[in-house]
Amino acid sequence: MFSRPFPTVLKVAATGFLAALLYAGVISPFRLLNNPILKTQDFLFSMRYLLPYHPPILEDIFLIAVDDESIHEIKEKWPFHRRIYADLLQKLTSAGARLVALDFVFAGKSEPLDDFLLAEAVQKAGHVVLAAFVDAQGNYVLSLKEIREGAVGSGVVNKLLDDDLYVRRVRLVYKDNDGEIAAWPWEIEILKELQGLKLDKLHISPEGLHYESDSEDAGRFFIPFRDHKNTAINFKLKLKDIQQVPLWKVMQEEDLGETMKGKIVLSGSTSRGLHDYYHTPLGVMPGVVVNLNWLVNMATRDFLRNIPFVLNLLFVTFFAMSGSFLGLRFDVMKGTAGLFCVSVAGGAMSFGLFCLNYTGDFFTPFLALWLTFLSVTLYRYFYTLVENVRLRGEVVTDPLTGLYNRRFLESRIDAEFARLVVERRSRKMDAYHELSVLMMDIDNFKHVNDTYGHQFGDDVIKNVSFCIRESVRKDDIAARYGGEEFCVVLIHTRKEEAVQIAEKIRKSVESKKFNYVNQITHFTISAGVASARIDNLLSSRAIIKAADEALYEAKRTGKNRVCQFVNKTP
C-alpha cells in the first residue's frame, strides 16, 4: 500500500540525494553541526586512549613539574625568583641532560643578580629552549634578551581554543604584519635540536607544512593543515603517562645523573592554581602536556589527516539511504534492529579510520541515518493512520448519502443500551438517562422511481439525508437504514423532544423544492418515535421495532406526519 506511488528504490535514492544536497549546500558550508562533530571526535579520542600506546621517545622524555606541592615546599610566591631556574639548569647540566626545554617566559627585568645567574646558566648549558607567546594585540613576548641569547631556540607556546573553549589545534607558523615568518612553535624549536631540523627547509603550502632534507634523522615529512593555517593535535598522552618529578624534589637532589642523563627534560607548570590548564579531548590537562602531545606527534610523524569532503558526503548519503530503506521495508522492531546493526558497523568503521589517523565528520552520517529512519517510519504510520481512518469511514458510512450505515447504527444503539443498563437502577428521569429513536421513510418513493427514474430518486434520498443531518445535533447518530428508510438515534433526549426533532425534519423535507425537467415538485416523509425508558424498551431490537411500528402507523393514518409509539404491554 505505502509503496504504490513510487518504487522503494526511487524513494531511497531521493532521500540520499536530498541528504547530500542539504549537507553540501547548508550544513557543511555554514558549520551548523560543528560542535557535535568535534564532540564525536573527542569521544573517539577517549576510546582510542584505552588502546596501549608507548612510543620509544617517551623513554627519553622527563617532566619537571611546578606543581602545587612544589609551590608549597619552595615557599616562594609565584613567579619564582629566576635564580631557582638557574640552579635547576646547573643541576641538569651536571647530570648530563640531552636537552632542556623550559615552558616559561622570562620577560622583563627582575633582580639584576637573578637575571645574570639565569643568563649564565643558560649560556653554560648550551642546549636550552625557551618559551615565548603572542599577546592579544599580536605582539611577540620573548624572554629577556641576555637570557635568550644563550638559548638554542625560543618557540611560541600559545594554545588555540575552539568555539567550545577546547584545545584541539596548534599553529604551525607565526607571521608578522608583513607576512614574514616571525617565530616557530616551541615544539619545532625542540625538534630542531633533537633531530637536526633546518628551519630554512620548512615550506608552507595551502595544504600544510612540508619539510625536505637529506638528513637521516629528519628526513622528509608533511604536516597537513586542518583549517588553512592550523593543524590538529593527535592527543594520545595524559599527565600520568609521562615520567615526572616535582621541582622541589629536583632542587633537593644532590646528584641527578642516574635519572636525567641523556634525557629530554621539559619543565612547566602543572599546578591548577597557576591557571595553565586546558580542556582537551582527553580531559583537562596542563599546557605543558598539550605541548608534549604535539612534540611526540612531530617526533614520531604521527599526524591526523582530514577525510576528503567527497568521502564525508558519500558517508552522509549512504547512511541517509540506509535509514530510508530500513524505514520503508521493515516494521518498527525489525527496522530498529537493522538501525542498530548499521550504527554499530558504522561506529566500528569510524573508529578504525580514526585509529589510522583519519579524522572527519563522524557525526552527521549517523544523524542522517537516525533522522531518515524516524522520519520515514513516522510518515508510514501517519499515512497508515489516515488511510485507516478513510477506510473506516467507508466501512461505517453509506456511500450515497454520507450518513452512517445500518451496521454502525445498530452497534451504537447496543453501546448506548449498555450505558443505560448500568444506570438502570437510577431514579433520575432527566434527559441524560433517556434514549430516543426516529424511524423515517419517504412517502410514495416507489412512485418517484417509476415516474422520474432511479437517478432522480437518488437525488431525493441525498436531499432528504441532508435535511436530516442539518436538523440533528452533532452527537446524534443519523443513518440510512435501507432503501428510502432512515433512522436517527437521539442520545440524552426525552420522547417529547424527539417528536419535536422529527417534526423539524418532516417540515424541512416538506418545504424543500425539487426541480425535474423545469417542473417544481415536493416530497414528504413519515416518522415514528420511540423512547427507551418511558416506553420500557431496553434492547436495540425492541426500540427499533417500536419506532418502526410508529412509522407504520404514520403511513397508515395519512402519511407526512409523526407518530409516537404507544406501549400497550403492562
Side-chain angles (χ1 to χ4, degrees):
M1 177 187 66
F2 182 76
S3 59
R4 185 168 53 206
F6 298 102
T8 300
V9 65
L10 291 181
K11 293 180 180 179
V12 171
T15 303
F17 175 76
L18 289 175
L21 193 64
L22 182 64
Y23 182 73
V26 179
I27 294 177
S28 183
F30 294 99
R31 302 176 64 192
L32 297 182
L33 299 175
N34 190 51
N35 279 351
I37 290 170
L38 292 177
K39 295 302 182 183
T40 302
Q41 292 181 12
D42 293 349
F43 174 74
L44 293 175
F45 271 114
S46 61
M47 294 300 295
R48 190 187 62 180
Y49 179 75
L50 301 176
L51 301 177
Y53 176 75
H54 196 80
I57 192 174
L58 278 186
E59 297 292 337
D60 298 329
I61 294 178
F62 212 96
L63 174 64
I64 297 178
V66 181
D67 56 3
D68 294 326
E69 193 177 5
S70 296
I71 294 176
H72 179 266
E73 293 293 335
I74 292 177
K75 295 181 174 59
E76 278 196 16
K77 291 183 178 180
W78 183 262
F80 293 154
H81 285 90
R82 292 176 180 176
R83 67 167 64 94
I84 293 178
Y85 302 104
D87 293 343
L88 173 64
L89 287 176
Q90 289 177 2
K91 286 178 175 289
L92 295 175
T93 302
S94 301
R98 178 182 173 185
L99 177 72
V100 180
L102 300 178
D103 187 13
F104 306 108
V105 181
F106 303 104
K109 293 183 177 293
S110 66
E111 294 182 11
L113 179 60
D114 285 4
D115 291 341
F116 173 77
L117 291 175
L118 181 56
E120 185 180 39
V122 170
Q123 180 70 37
K124 288 182 178 179
H127 50 263
V128 178
V129 176
L130 300 175
F133 70 92
V134 181
D135 64 15
Q137 288 73 39
N139 301 313
Y140 291 92
V141 180
L142 304 172
S143 294
L144 204 62
K145 181 178 179 181
E146 52 264 34
I147 299 175
R148 190 173 72 251
E149 285 177 345
V152 295
S154 180
V156 179
V157 293
N158 282 55
K159 307 298 184 299
L160 300 180
L161 300 180
D162 286 329
D163 294 338
D164 57 354
L165 304 183
Y166 272 59
V167 174
R168 300 184 181 91
R169 301 167 296 148
V170 63
R171 183 161 296 179
L172 288 177
V173 64
Y174 292 85
K175 296 183 178 182
D176 57 21
N177 295 331
D178 298 326
E180 299 296 328
I181 296 176
W184 294 96
W186 188 61
E187 299 83 3
I188 288 182
E189 293 287 351
I190 294 173
L191 212 63
K192 178 186 72 174
E193 298 303 314
L194 294 179
Q195 296 183 348
L197 286 183
K198 297 180 180 179
L199 299 182
D200 60 344
K201 299 289 185 181
L202 291 169
H203 301 286
I204 301 292
S205 74
E207 291 77 29
L209 181 66
H210 300 261
Y211 182 80
E212 296 185 3
S213 173
D214 297 330
S215 170
E216 293 183 0
D217 289 339
R220 299 180 180 184
F221 61 86
F222 168 69
I223 307 175
F225 279 146
R226 175 176 173 178
D227 52 7
H228 306 297
K229 59 182 178 180
N230 306 311
T231 189
I233 302 175
N234 197 359
F235 285 95
K236 291 188 174 181
L237 300 169
K238 295 182 179 181
L239 178 61
K240 65 184 182 65
D241 301 318
I242 306 165
Q243 301 179 84
Q244 56 186 291
V245 63
L247 175 62
W248 72 273
K249 285 188 177 181
V250 173
M251 301 307 295
Q252 289 184 354
E253 290 287 337
E254 295 294 333
D255 184 11
L256 299 174
E258 294 184 3
T259 56
M260 300 296 177
K261 187 174 182 180
K263 299 290 186 181
I264 304 164
V265 181
L266 278 63
S267 182
S269 166
T270 63
S271 169
R272 288 184 179 269
L274 301 183
H275 306 294
D276 193 29
Y277 264 73
Y278 301 90
H279 290 282
T280 73
L282 297 183
V284 180
M285 63 175 59
V288 67
V289 181
V290 175
N291 297 334
L292 195 146
N293 269 279
W294 177 235
L295 175 62
V296 173
N297 294 164
M298 292 279 294
T300 59
R301 312 295 189 257
D302 191 16
F303 307 121
L304 288 173
R305 301 173 181 83
N306 289 325
I307 295 175
F309 174 77
V310 174
L311 283 182
N312 281 328
L313 185 64
L314 288 176
F315 289 153
V316 171
T317 304
F318 173 76
F319 276 66
M321 293 173 66
S322 299
S324 176
F325 177 79
L326 292 171
L328 288 170
R329 293 299 301 271
F330 301 100
D331 59 27
V332 175
M333 294 300 293
K334 290 182 180 179
T336 303
L339 199 66
F340 276 104
C341 291
V342 174
S343 299
V344 170
M349 179 192 69
S350 301
F351 185 68
L353 287 172
F354 193 76
C355 289
L356 294 174
N357 284 345
Y358 285 97
T359 183
D361 186 354
F362 295 121
F363 173 79
T364 309
F366 293 95
L367 180 66
L369 173 71
W370 283 85
L371 279 184
T372 52
F373 174 79
L374 291 174
S375 300
V376 170
T377 301
L378 288 175
Y379 171 70
R380 280 185 64 187
Y381 278 88
F382 177 76
Y383 182 90
T384 303
L385 177 63
V386 172
E387 190 71 6
N388 287 339
V389 170
R390 183 183 66 82
L391 293 174
R392 183 182 177 187
E394 291 180 357
V395 170
V396 302
T397 57
D398 174 63
L400 178 63
T401 63
L403 300 178
Y404 291 113
N405 58 26
R406 180 172 178 173
R407 176 182 298 179
F408 180 77
L409 174 80
E410 292 175 346
S411 66
R412 282 301 305 268
I413 293 177
D414 288 336
E416 290 301 322
F417 270 105
R419 178 183 63 82
L420 288 178
V421 168
V422 174
E423 301 166 354
R424 189 171 182 178
R425 296 183 179 180
S426 173
R427 295 183 179 179
K428 294 181 180 180
M429 294 302 295
D430 58 11
Y432 184 80
H433 299 276
E434 184 60 284
L435 175 73
S436 297
V437 171
L438 310 181
M439 290 295 291
M440 292 170 288
D441 186 88
I442 302 175
D443 296 330
N444 304 315
F445 188 72
K446 185 177 183 304
H447 176 71
V448 174
N449 283 333
D450 293 341
T451 305
Y452 304 104
H454 289 280
Q455 184 174 356
F456 185 75
D458 289 344
D459 290 340
V460 173
I461 290 175
K462 286 192 285 186
N463 278 275
V464 171
S465 67
F466 177 78
C467 292
I468 294 173
R469 188 185 297 112
E470 290 297 306
S471 300
V472 299
R473 299 163 302 188
K474 183 179 179 180
D475 294 336
D476 296 329
I477 304 158
R480 185 183 179 192
Y481 201 69
E484 71 277 14
E485 194 171 12
F486 301 90
C487 181
V488 178
V489 179
L490 302 172
I491 302 171
H492 312 316
T493 305
R494 292 189 295 265
K495 195 171 187 179
E496 55 270 26
E497 295 171 342
V499 172
Q500 293 174 6
I501 294 173
E503 279 291 341
K504 181 181 178 182
I505 297 172
R506 185 192 65 78
K507 291 178 180 179
S508 177
V509 174
E510 184 181 25
S511 63
K512 195 168 190 65
K513 298 178 181 180
F514 294 85
N515 189 344
Y516 179 75
V517 193
N518 297 325
Q519 294 181 5
I520 304 299
T521 184
H522 298 268
F523 297 95
T524 60
I525 64 169
S526 299
V529 181
S531 296
R533 287 207 169 202
I534 196 170
D535 292 327
N536 197 26
L537 303 169
L538 296 181
S539 72
S540 59
R541 178 176 295 183
I543 195 170
I544 290 176
K545 183 180 178 182
D548 203 42
E549 289 179 9
L551 172 61
Y552 177 78
E553 182 65 18
K555 291 279 191 182
R556 190 183 65 83
T557 56
K559 302 179 183 178
N560 191 23
R561 60 184 301 179
V562 177
C563 286
Q564 303 181 41
F565 172 74
V566 178
N567 193 347
K568 299 177 182 179
T569 304

